[in-house]
Amino acid sequence: SENGEEPNQGGKQSKLSTASFLPSWTKVSCPCCASDRVEPLVLVKLGVKVVPETKRWLIKLIGTPKKDGGADLMAHPGEDATGDIIVVSAPRCTLQRAVEELGLCKMYCNGDMEAFSYSDRDNFKNSDNMEGFLTLAERQYIVKYELDGLRAQKDLRVPGLPENFTLKKRDIIWQKLGSVGVIVDTLPLHNPNKLKDLSKAWYFGNQLVQPLDEINEYFGSPVAFYFSFLDFYTWSLLPPAMMGLFILPITNFAGDMSPAGSQVGEIQEDSGFVISGHMILAVFSMLWSTVVMEMWKRRSASLSYRWGTLNLAERFAEPRPGYRGELGTNPVTGRVEPLFPDWQRGLRMALVSVPVVGLFLGLVVLGMMCFYWGEARVQKLHTDWDSLLTRPLLYAPSVLHIVYTNMLATVYKTAAESLTEYENHREESAHQNHLTAKVLVFTFFNYFAVLFHIAFFKRDVPLLRKRLASLLIVSQLVNQVTEVVIPYLVDRFISSPKRNEKEEDPVEDKFRNQGNMPPFPGLFAEYIELLVQFGYLSLFSCVFPLTAVLLLLNNLTEIRSDAYKICKLFRKPFSPPVGDMGVWQIAFEVLSFVSVVSNCWLLVLSPRLQEKCRRGEMSSTDLLLGAVIVEHLLILVKVIIAALIPDEPNWIRKKKEQWEYKSMQALRQQSTLTSR
Amino acid sequence: SENGEEPNQGGKQSKLSTASFLPSWTKVSCPCCASDRVEPLVLVKLGVKVVPETKRWLIKLIGTPKKDGGADLMAHPGEDATGDIIVVSAPRCTLQRAVEELGLCKMYCNGDMEAFSYSDRDNFKNSDNMEGFLTLAERQYIVKYELDGLRAQKDLRVPGLPENFTLKKRDIIWQKLGSVGVIVDTLPLHNPNKLKDLSKAWYFGNQLVQPLDEINEYFGSPVAFYFSFLDFYTWSLLPPAMMGLFILPITNFAGDMSPAGSQVGEIQEDSGFVISGHMILAVFSMLWSTVVMEMWKRRSASLSYRWGTLNLAERFAEPRPGYRGELGTNPVTGRVEPLFPDWQRGLRMALVSVPVVGLFLGLVVLGMMCFYWGEARVQKLHTDWDSLLTRPLLYAPSVLHIVYTNMLATVYKTAAESLTEYENHREESAHQNHLTAKVLVFTFFNYFAVLFHIAFFKRDVPLLRKRLASLLIVSQLVNQVTEVVIPYLVDRFISSPKRNEKEEDPVEDKFRNQGNMPPFPGLFAEYIELLVQFGYLSLFSCVFPLTAVLLLLNNLTEIRSDAYKICKLFRKPFSPPVGDMGVWQIAFEVLSFVSVVSNCWLLVLSPRLQEKCRRGEMSSTDLLLGAVIVEHLLILVKVIIAALIPDEPNWIRKKKEQWEYKSMQALRQQSTLTSR
């Protein structure tokens, strides 16, 4: 058998690899899936001490049909039976059955997307050619899904492992073997040719459009959704950027930016206008953010339709491997699986998770207070004593605070993981969303606590502006450097020479090399960066008209650096099919509402209006009252806009109704057939 | 054939009626539905000038099978072929097919509620006995549904009508005949025995529990939902009522209630407490309202499950008779029907409905301003001239304002109906909801405009309190009188003697008498009364601790008077099956949020706090700021509570998932069967 590389590169490659791939792929149990081309999808790295006996047992398990407790996949032992890798692929039937179980939609013969049905497979387009039918990311995810789902059918011993290690009935094999070091790593394999094509279309040159479908094909829907959102968000920065550029010349930008700007502003613009360009811009961008998020929901729905993830059936599939509970019959699907009552999860969330998260947020506040207290003490000490000895002490509070914050963040991350595990979510997506939400709240609080403190307690607008401006500019510069320059240098001068890959290397070594790259850190950092940006934009909008312009420029390079990073610098990640951005969607929407509150508050604190109050032209109560009314009106308008723009385009709503109608009809007809 | 009264009363009744019912019911086309007992469900009153020829044609049309353009019902000509009534009933098959089309759930043989499927009818409980299978309200609604749905299959002339009157193809027969006076009325018939049982269980005696299932059986789900909500809401007044009674003795109620209460309050309670019992009560009741509305949603969902209206398929049924559009194929169901694009409806709502409603609201404000202006002018005139001649003038503005307001309300109602008709909603429920929403906004604005004006512009809290207290007490007294005493007197001394019904009257005359009762005015007035109550409670909660107690007492009698009204004083209404309260649900929820804003504002205006400001103990800016913070916190807590309490009980969520899973499976299996 061949190594299963793409046919268009088969010539040279297969010559090289036939020699090395002396052992062969396991036989497929199902006759219809026998094929002369097998595509290596996933690499399993074994521990160095694993004996050939265990490896043979594993390979057999992977190839065993599902009804006998196997994964119904195909395995290849690499160079020989003693090597520390197993290459895994999937036959057609296994892939198709998993597609049905996951609830993916595929193109039907009439051109519509329909939920795939294994028994009706012949009517789906491309259903005989897996590389056209499923994306690479889907094929690889399904392999992982099957491996993760392997459960011992009875108590058994694994050959080659110590006597005291046994698998109990219903143990999750992959997890348990991972915990004793038999399996070190499971990673999806890159496809170098496809990767080259993708990078060319993605970040070489000056493309304005990203190849979203190709990203989805290669990296899967979570990554594709991130880049779609980045793209969408970047282009939707155009209107506020243009507004900003348009308003810049007609406003006293300098006057409002300088800490004691009220004097300058007074001279330039005190012509009776209380409503300035900045305020117009602020109102504009507050409404803009709602429209953008609503439009994104529509875009997200149509992307999800296109990628077949609009009605995933995760609820009806097997629970995620980490799910614990008493064995019982699922009342919905009738499957035997662990059951865990929802109210108990709710109780755990309310009584454990919420207090613990609250405690950590409290610790952040405590740290901040200690920092301010320490700062004041040190300042006093320094002015009292004023010696060279006390000068370094001036930096102590900041350093201690940074160390404290970082330690707290690390501890919190572990805590969040255990808490989410303890909450025991049934679906992987729910688990991920709850984990992300926890980390997100903390990170965001950590980022903005100082700013909120300055804005709401110190009420020191000039300081807030300095702080915000420096954060915006510094963080963007730092990000650009860390994201583009350093990774490039690392890859160019450290990683590449070490990998030292040659064309004529055996395929196994290339595979092994991929395992040596750092694992992909996930999209959390990327999303939070966007969220913080979005936060700056919302907070800044009433002060600094150029924010949107700067962000637009930043994001145009950000797209490229993120793309470069994921293609070149990390292992390929496994990507479960998803239908939207998950919890990030909510985070952006919540932020867009919070921004109204903070913007209105900042307007109240704006030096010009405060000056008017001081001079008695306007009572501070009236000012506050006006701001409150404007805030309530804006929130009302935002709620109305959000309600008026439908979350899905009309044609998707129609499609969903069609699905619903069809299944209603099918249910009625089916009962007839069974009752006859 | 017999007249089809209940079998337990058959003896005497049928003897009386066999004589009068000389003509007989039309034959049923379907052999399985032939039965010796026919229940008269609906009365059709014809115009006095209708000739027997037309009546015969109508009777034939009602009995004709659906495929030939008829209604597939059963008709009875009353005393003879010349009388002005037709009694209509429905055979089993027609009822069952309609149940399937409407998407009603019925009890399956395993005890679960399942969407009824005609082809699987034998597995549903009671499916051979229509009086156990369907509620009376459902049977009657289905008859109306079939009659309203009658469409001319081709251009045709109606016998006995003038030459120039022709029905065009696809004309709605019932509507068109109604417009030329052939059909004067279509009304569901009371069932006297059932009505007697129902009244006994409902409002005679001191029952604390309402017979909701029986109400649903007799009057249908909209009425049952109203009474369920009234019941639920009344009992949930207990906690705030108890809180109110508990707090009353420990607060200076008199001090806060008296127009110049600050002096009294000062003496009694100026012990440094800024937070008074009233504030605690206010916060309590603001949170209480959210919890109540969330719990009601859960209750509503379980009632809806019990009554089989949880997943109505109105979207997939025929559009409502008034729906206009170009004929085309419905992309979802494949039926030929009028189609009207959604965006066009949206456009009409945005460009016509919203401005017109806004205009009317503007007219309300204008009227109010004119009233205040007139009041001021008249006062001035009176003080200037002070003669007996000017004294009556003092009442002129109020009288004019009341006349203006009433005229406006009448005009608005017509406008709202035409606007909603113009919006052209496909489903009857959507039509009703949009109509209700329009009238609701106006009525509510009308009720509260003056109060809001006093609270937000005049900022005159004592006046507001006086106004609110008098409204609350006066409106309750007036309501009790108009709702209990007057109807009773009218019925006892005017209607009953005129009807002068005797046991031995022919059944037809009894039926005719029902047509002479006033038509049921709908539940709008009842719901708006509850909504205004709820509004008073929310607005008052920070001022008047006894509100909840008063409302509780009021509602306990309200339940009985409403029940008496619907049972005795009006015609039986047709009730389409509904799954919830529709737009009222939203109205209550919105009000519960608005009340937070108004409560916090009233707290700011409270005399005690204002006095503190005047004495310089507290800056008015700080006070306002505090109120704003409290308001934001309360809204946040309300949003979180609303998000945390699931809208459906867990078991209903499970049920829904089961349905979804089953239909998913059915769809998959079905495609296999068709593709084979």
Side-chain angles (χ1 to χ4, degrees):
Chain A
S1 80
E2 298 191 5
N3 70 1
E5 291 291 333
E6 286 279 279
N8 55 359
Q9 59 157 125
K12 197 177 59 182
Q13 285 272 349
S14 69
K15 226 197 306 171
L16 289 168
S17 50
T18 0
S20 58
F21 264 100
L22 278 176
S24 71
W25 289 96
T26 50
K27 288 278 176 301
V28 196
S29 62
C30 155
C32 75
C33 296
S35 152
D36 52 349
R37 253 178 10 84
V38 181
E39 178 193 35
L41 287 173
V42 168
L43 182 79
V44 178
K45 272 184 87 176
L46 305 175
V48 279
K49 289 185 188 160
V50 173
V51 296
E53 217 180 341
T54 313
K55 185 174 172 182
R56 263 200 303 279
W57 178 83
L58 255 181
I59 288 178
K60 188 152 167 281
L61 181 77
I62 293 172
T64 307
K66 271 198 166 172
K67 60 178 193 305
D68 304 324
D72 223 345
L73 297 170
M74 294 152 80
H76 192 289
E79 304 94 333
D80 54 44
T82 56
D84 63 348
I85 59 169
I86 301 178
V87 183
V88 186
S89 185
R92 196 171 63 187
C93 284
T94 307
L95 288 175
Q96 287 184 339
R97 278 182 210 276
V99 168
E100 181 181 287
E101 194 175 326
L102 293 172
L104 286 170
C105 292
K106 290 290 162 191
M107 194 168 279
Y108 205 63
C109 49
N110 62 3
D112 283 355
M113 300 295 277
E114 300 282 349
F116 180 73
S117 156
Y118 180 71
S119 50
D120 191 25
R121 57 190 177 281
D122 298 334
N123 282 321
F124 283 84
K125 276 191 183 159
N126 275 326
S127 65
D128 47 350
N129 166 25
M130 281 304 108
E131 282 166 43
F133 181 67
L134 291 172
T135 67
L136 176 62
E138 282 165 352
R139 292 189 300 261
Q140 291 175 331
Y141 176 73
I142 289 173
V143 169
K144 179 185 148 70
Y145 176 76
E146 297 294 348
L147 293 177
D148 279 346
L150 277 173
R151 280 171 184 274
Q153 287 202 313
K154 55 180 193 295
D155 292 9
L156 55 83
R157 269 203 60 232
V158 178
L161 289 190
E163 282 281 341
N164 55 3
F165 179 84
T166 50
L167 289 167
K168 302 264 179 329
K169 194 183 169 188
R170 288 199 58 82
D171 265 358
I172 299 156
I173 299 177
W174 220 250
Q175 215 177 40
K176 199 129 186 204
L177 290 182
S179 68
V180 294
V182 173
I183 293 163
V184 177
D185 236 330
T186 312
L187 62 142
L189 288 166
H190 268 300
N191 181 327
N193 287 38
K194 279 196 176 177
L195 185 60
K196 205 179 281 170
D197 292 346
L198 177 63
S199 348
K200 214 173 279 172
W202 202 357
Y203 58 85
F204 287 131
N206 301 315
Q207 304 92 337
L208 291 178
V209 179
Q210 294 180 65
L212 298 177
D213 286 335
E214 285 76 26
I215 300 173
N216 178 52
E217 151 77 30
Y218 195 82
F219 283 111
S221 38
V223 178
F225 268 111
Y226 167 70
F227 281 98
S228 311
F229 179 67
L230 178 55
D231 185 58
F232 183 85
Y233 166 66
T234 302
W235 289 119
S236 59
L237 283 173
L238 266 182
M242 271 156 53
M243 275 287 275
L245 285 178
F246 176 73
I247 262 171
L248 188 64
I250 64 163
T251 53
N252 56 336
F253 170 62
D256 250 8
M257 270 305 285
S258 65
S262 46
Q263 286 79 19
V264 191
E266 220 174 303
I267 298 157
Q268 287 182 341
E269 218 201 344
D270 203 1
S271 47
F273 285 128
V274 177
I275 293 167
S276 70
H278 293 140
M279 290 181 197
I280 295 170
L281 189 65
V283 170
F284 171 80
S285 69
M286 283 183 252
L287 299 181
W288 163 88
S289 68
T290 305
V291 174
V292 166
M293 285 321 290
E294 290 300 311
M295 298 309 283
W296 164 248
K297 270 191 224 162
R298 294 166 68 90
R299 172 124 177 90
S300 167
S302 42
L303 286 174
S304 170
Y305 175 79
R306 190 147 120 197
W307 297 336
T309 57
L310 198 55
N311 51 355
L312 295 174
E314 214 183 348
R315 282 167 306 159
F316 305 136
E318 289 264 337
R320 67 187 202 88
Y323 186 63
R324 292 172 314 279
E326 282 192 37
L327 266 196
T329 316
N330 185 317
V332 176
T333 59
R335 230 193 305 254
V336 173
E337 60 180 36
L339 296 180
F340 185 74
D342 288 338
W343 62 265
Q344 215 167 320
R345 179 175 314 119
L347 217 64
R348 287 183 178 183
M349 280 160 76
L351 298 184
V352 182
S353 300
V354 171
V356 171
V357 171
L359 179 75
F360 273 95
L361 296 187
L363 286 177
V364 171
V365 174
L366 189 74
M368 198 176 66
M369 277 159 60
C370 287
F371 165 68
Y372 281 116
W373 176 82
E375 187 109 288
R377 287 300 294 260
V378 161
Q379 282 286 355
K380 196 165 174 294
L381 216 71
H382 184 62
T383 41
D384 285 357
W385 291 15
D386 196 15
S387 71
L388 270 176
L389 213 79
T390 56
R391 181 149 299 168
L393 263 181
L394 280 179
Y395 294 96
S398 299
V399 170
L400 283 177
H401 188 230
I402 289 170
V403 169
Y404 173 80
T405 308
N406 279 329
M407 272 170 54
L408 203 60
T410 317
V411 175
Y412 181 78
K413 216 173 170 188
T414 323
E417 267 159 21
S418 344
L419 282 176
T420 315
E421 198 63 58
Y422 178 66
E423 288 167 10
N424 200 17
H425 295 277
R426 189 183 177 282
E427 280 100 42
E428 184 61 33
S429 65
H431 180 84
Q432 286 303 332
N433 279 342
H434 276 89
L435 179 59
T436 307
K438 284 193 191 66
V439 183
L440 166 66
V441 166
F442 180 81
T443 315
F444 198 79
F445 199 79
N446 225 344
Y447 261 101
F448 283 88
V450 177
L451 297 182
F452 279 131
H453 178 261
I454 297 174
F456 287 92
F457 291 94
K458 287 195 161 183
R459 298 185 194 171
D460 186 350
V461 178
L463 178 62
L464 178 69
R465 282 176 181 159
K466 255 196 305 191
R467 200 72 181 244
L468 276 169
S470 65
L471 272 175
L472 190 72
I473 292 160
V474 169
S475 74
Q476 290 208 8
L477 276 178
V478 169
N479 269 331
Q480 290 295 338
V481 170
T482 51
E483 288 191 2
V484 190
V485 183
I486 295 185
Y488 177 76
L489 292 177
V490 167
D491 190 60
R492 187 81 185 78
F493 296 106
I494 305 178
S495 307
S496 290
K498 211 167 78 186
R499 277 207 298 276
N500 191 21
E501 212 160 82
K502 290 196 199 76
E503 274 283 304
E504 62 272 20
D505 276 350
V507 186
E508 290 76 20
D509 286 354
K510 290 190 182 166
F511 288 170
R512 253 192 216 96
N513 274 338
Q514 291 186 26
N516 293 331
M517 291 171 103
F520 183 67
L523 293 163
F524 186 87
E526 318 287 347
Y527 269 121
I528 198 100
E529 198 183 322
L530 285 189
L531 188 70
V532 169
Q533 249 191 29
F534 190 74
Y536 287 157
L537 179 60
S538 317
L539 290 166
F540 244 134
S541 52
C542 68
V543 177
F544 189 37
L546 284 182
T547 317
V549 181
L550 284 181
L551 291 182
L552 183 62
L553 292 177
N554 175 65
N555 285 0
L556 285 178
T557 54
E558 176 89 29
I559 292 175
R560 280 164 185 74
S561 64
D562 283 352
Y564 177 74
K565 245 163 66 178
I566 194 169
C567 286
K568 289 289 174 191
L569 305 179
F570 296 105
R571 282 188 205 173
K572 190 168 185 296
F574 280 113
S575 300
V578 294
D580 51 34
M581 295 202 300
V583 82
W584 292 103
Q585 177 82 45
I586 303 164
F588 277 91
E589 286 180 67
V590 169
L591 192 57
S592 128
F593 276 92
V594 172
S595 78
V596 176
V597 180
S598 78
N599 257 314
C600 288
W601 176 247
L602 286 180
L603 279 182
V604 167
L605 293 186
S606 81
R608 188 136 36 91
L609 290 175
Q610 287 293 329
E611 178 63 18
K612 271 194 196 283
C613 285
R614 262 195 301 278
R615 282 184 293 165
E617 289 174 22
M618 186 191 251
S619 97
S620 67
T621 315
D622 283 350
L623 174 61
L624 193 56
L625 205 59
V628 170
I629 291 171
V630 168
E631 187 222 52
H632 282 68
L633 278 182
L634 276 174
I635 287 183
L636 187 69
V637 171
K638 274 171 96 94
V639 168
I640 291 175
I641 290 179
L644 280 189
I645 302 180
D647 285 1
E648 299 169 327
N650 215 20
W651 60 273
I652 288 200
R653 203 169 49 77
K654 281 266 154 57
K655 269 294 174 239
K656 280 191 170 172
E657 279 190 358
Q658 269 175 21
W659 287 339
E660 203 181 322
Y661 184 70
K662 260 190 217 157
S663 46
M664 195 177 84
Q665 298 292 68
L667 188 62
R668 282 178 185 165
Q669 286 183 11
Q670 187 205 32
S671 29
T672 326
L673 294 167
T674 51
S675 67
R676 258 178 210 161
Chain B
S1 79
E2 299 189 6
N3 72 359
E5 291 293 332
E6 288 277 279
N8 54 359
Q9 58 156 126
K12 197 177 55 179
Q13 284 271 347
S14 68
K15 227 196 306 168
L16 288 168
S17 49
T18 2
S20 59
F21 263 100
L22 278 176
S24 70
W25 289 98
T26 51
K27 292 275 178 302
V28 197
S29 61
C30 154
C32 75
C33 296
S35 152
D36 51 350
R37 250 177 15 82
V38 182
E39 179 192 34
L41 287 172
V42 168
L43 182 79
V44 179
K45 272 185 85 178
L46 304 177
V48 279
K49 291 187 189 158
V50 174
V51 295
E53 220 181 336
T54 313
K55 186 172 172 182
R56 264 197 304 276
W57 177 82
L58 255 180
I59 288 177
K60 188 155 166 277
L61 181 77
I62 293 172
T64 307
K66 272 198 166 171
K67 61 178 193 306
D68 304 325
D72 224 343
L73 298 169
M74 291 152 82
H76 192 291
E79 303 95 332
D80 53 41
T82 56
D84 62 346
I85 59 166
I86 300 177
V87 184
V88 188
S89 185
R92 195 171 63 190
C93 284
T94 308
L95 289 174
Q96 287 184 339
R97 280 183 208 275
V99 168
E100 180 180 289
E101 194 174 326
L102 293 171
L104 286 170
C105 292
K106 290 290 160 191
M107 195 168 277
Y108 205 64
C109 49
N110 62 3
D112 282 357
M113 299 296 276
E114 300 282 350
F116 181 72
S117 156
Y118 179 73
S119 49
D120 192 26
R121 59 190 175 280
D122 298 334
N123 282 322
F124 284 83
K125 274 189 184 160
N126 275 325
S127 64
D128 46 351
N129 164 26
M130 281 304 107
E131 281 163 45
F133 181 67
L134 290 172
T135 67
L136 176 62
E138 281 166 353
R139 291 189 301 260
Q140 291 176 330
Y141 176 73
I142 289 173
V143 169
K144 180 185 146 72
Y145 176 75
E146 297 296 349
L147 292 178
D148 280 347
L150 278 173
R151 280 171 183 272
Q153 286 202 316
K154 55 180 193 296
D155 293 6
L156 55 83
R157 270 202 60 230
V158 178
L161 288 189
E163 283 281 340
N164 54 3
F165 178 83
T166 49
L167 290 167
K168 302 265 180 330
K169 193 182 170 189
R170 288 197 59 83
D171 264 358
I172 298 154
I173 299 176
W174 221 250
Q175 219 176 37
K176 200 131 186 205
L177 291 182
S179 69
V180 295
V182 173
I183 293 163
V184 177
D185 236 331
T186 311
L187 60 142
L189 289 166
H190 269 299
N191 182 327
N193 288 37
K194 279 198 175 171
L195 184 60
K196 205 179 281 169
D197 292 347
L198 178 62
S199 344
K200 214 173 277 170
W202 202 359
Y203 58 87
F204 286 129
N206 300 316
Q207 306 91 337
L208 290 178
V209 179
Q210 295 180 65
L212 297 177
D213 287 335
E214 284 75 27
I215 300 173
N216 177 52
E217 152 76 30
Y218 195 82
F219 284 111
S221 38
V223 177
F225 268 111
Y226 166 70
F227 281 98
S228 311
F229 179 68
L230 178 55
D231 186 59
F232 184 85
Y233 166 66
T234 301
W235 290 119
S236 59
L237 283 173
L238 267 181
M242 273 156 53
M243 275 287 274
L245 285 177
F246 176 74
I247 262 171
L248 188 64
I250 63 164
T251 52
N252 56 336
F253 169 61
D256 251 8
M257 269 304 285
S258 66
S262 47
Q263 286 78 20
V264 191
E266 220 174 302
I267 298 158
Q268 288 182 340
E269 218 201 346
D270 203 2
S271 46
F273 285 129
V274 178
I275 293 168
S276 70
H278 293 140
M279 288 181 200
I280 295 170
L281 189 66
V283 170
F284 171 80
S285 70
M286 283 184 255
L287 299 181
W288 163 87
S289 67
T290 304
V291 174
V292 166
M293 285 319 292
E294 290 300 310
M295 298 308 281
W296 163 249
K297 271 191 224 162
R298 294 166 67 90
R299 172 120 177 92
S300 167
S302 42
L303 286 175
S304 169
Y305 174 78
R306 193 147 115 196
W307 296 336
T309 57
L310 198 54
N311 50 356
L312 293 174
E314 213 182 347
R315 280 168 306 159
F316 305 137
E318 287 266 335
R320 66 187 201 88
Y323 187 61
R324 294 172 312 280
E326 281 191 38
L327 268 194
T329 314
N330 184 317
V332 176
T333 59
R335 230 193 303 252
V336 173
E337 61 179 36
L339 297 179
F340 184 73
D342 289 339
W343 62 264
Q344 215 168 320
R345 179 175 312 118
L347 217 63
R348 287 182 177 186
M349 282 161 76
L351 298 185
V352 181
S353 300
V354 171
V356 171
V357 171
L359 179 74
F360 273 95
L361 296 186
L363 286 177
V364 171
V365 175
L366 189 74
M368 200 176 64
M369 277 160 58
C370 287
F371 165 69
Y372 281 116
W373 176 84
E375 188 110 287
R377 286 300 292 261
V378 160
Q379 283 285 359
K380 196 163 172 293
L381 214 70
H382 182 64
T383 44
D384 285 358
W385 291 14
D386 197 14
S387 72
L388 271 174
L389 213 81
T390 53
R391 183 149 298 168
L393 263 180
L394 280 179
Y395 296 95
S398 299
V399 171
L400 284 177
H401 188 230
I402 290 170
V403 170
Y404 172 81
T405 307
N406 280 328
M407 272 170 53
L408 203 62
T410 317
V411 175
Y412 180 77
K413 217 173 170 189
T414 325
E417 266 158 23
S418 339
L419 282 175
T420 316
E421 199 61 58
Y422 178 65
E423 285 168 12
N424 201 18
H425 296 277
R426 190 184 176 282
E427 281 102 41
E428 185 61 34
S429 65
H431 180 84
Q432 287 302 333
N433 280 342
H434 277 89
L435 179 59
T436 308
K438 285 193 192 67
V439 183
L440 165 66
V441 167
F442 180 81
T443 314
F444 197 80
F445 200 79
N446 226 343
Y447 263 103
F448 283 87
V450 176
L451 298 181
F452 279 130
H453 177 260
I454 297 174
F456 287 92
F457 291 94
K458 288 195 160 181
R459 298 182 194 174
D460 186 349
V461 177
L463 179 63
L464 178 68
R465 282 175 182 161
K466 256 196 305 188
R467 201 72 181 241
L468 276 168
S470 64
L471 272 176
L472 188 72
I473 292 160
V474 168
S475 74
Q476 288 206 9
L477 276 178
V478 168
N479 270 331
Q480 290 294 337
V481 170
T482 51
E483 287 191 1
V484 190
V485 184
I486 295 186
Y488 177 75
L489 292 178
V490 166
D491 190 58
R492 188 83 185 74
F493 294 106
I494 304 178
S495 307
S496 290
K498 214 168 72 185
R499 278 209 295 276
N500 190 22
E501 210 161 84
K502 293 193 197 79
E503 275 282 303
E504 63 273 19
D505 276 352
V507 186
E508 289 77 20
D509 287 354
K510 290 193 183 163
F511 288 171
R512 248 188 220 101
N513 274 338
Q514 290 188 27
N516 294 329
M517 291 172 102
F520 184 67
L523 294 162
F524 185 88
E526 318 288 345
Y527 270 121
I528 197 100
E529 198 184 321
L530 285 190
L531 188 70
V532 169
Q533 252 192 26
F534 190 76
Y536 287 156
L537 180 61
S538 319
L539 288 167
F540 244 135
S541 52
C542 67
V543 176
F544 188 37
L546 285 182
T547 316
V549 181
L550 284 181
L551 292 182
L552 183 61
L553 292 177
N554 176 66
N555 285 358
L556 286 178
T557 55
E558 175 90 28
I559 292 176
R560 278 163 186 74
S561 64
D562 282 353
Y564 177 72
K565 247 164 64 179
I566 196 171
C567 286
K568 288 288 176 193
L569 305 179
F570 295 106
R571 279 187 210 174
K572 190 167 187 294
F574 280 114
S575 302
V578 295
D580 50 37
M581 295 203 300
V583 80
W584 293 102
Q585 177 82 44
I586 303 164
F588 277 91
E589 286 180 66
V590 168
L591 190 58
S592 127
F593 276 92
V594 172
S595 79
V596 175
V597 179
S598 79
N599 257 315
C600 288
W601 175 247
L602 286 179
L603 279 181
V604 168
L605 293 186
S606 83
R608 188 137 34 92
L609 291 175
Q610 288 292 328
E611 179 62 18
K612 271 195 198 277
C613 285
R614 262 194 301 279
R615 283 185 293 169
E617 288 174 22
M618 187 191 251
S619 97
S620 67
T621 314
D622 282 350
L623 173 62
L624 193 56
L625 205 60
V628 170
I629 290 170
V630 168
E631 187 221 54
H632 281 68
L633 278 182
L634 275 174
I635 288 183
L636 186 68
V637 170
K638 272 171 96 92
V639 169
I640 290 174
I641 291 179
L644 280 189
I645 302 180
D647 284 2
E648 298 169 327
N650 215 21
W651 60 272
I652 288 203
R653 205 169 48 74
K654 280 266 153 61
K655 259 313 160 223
K656 280 193 170 171
E657 279 189 359
Q658 269 174 20
W659 287 337
E660 202 182 324
Y661 183 68
K662 260 189 218 158
S663 45
M664 196 177 86
Q665 299 291 69
L667 188 61
R668 282 176 184 166
Q669 285 181 13
Q670 186 204 35
S671 32
T672 327
L673 293 167
T674 51
S675 67
R676 258 178 208 159

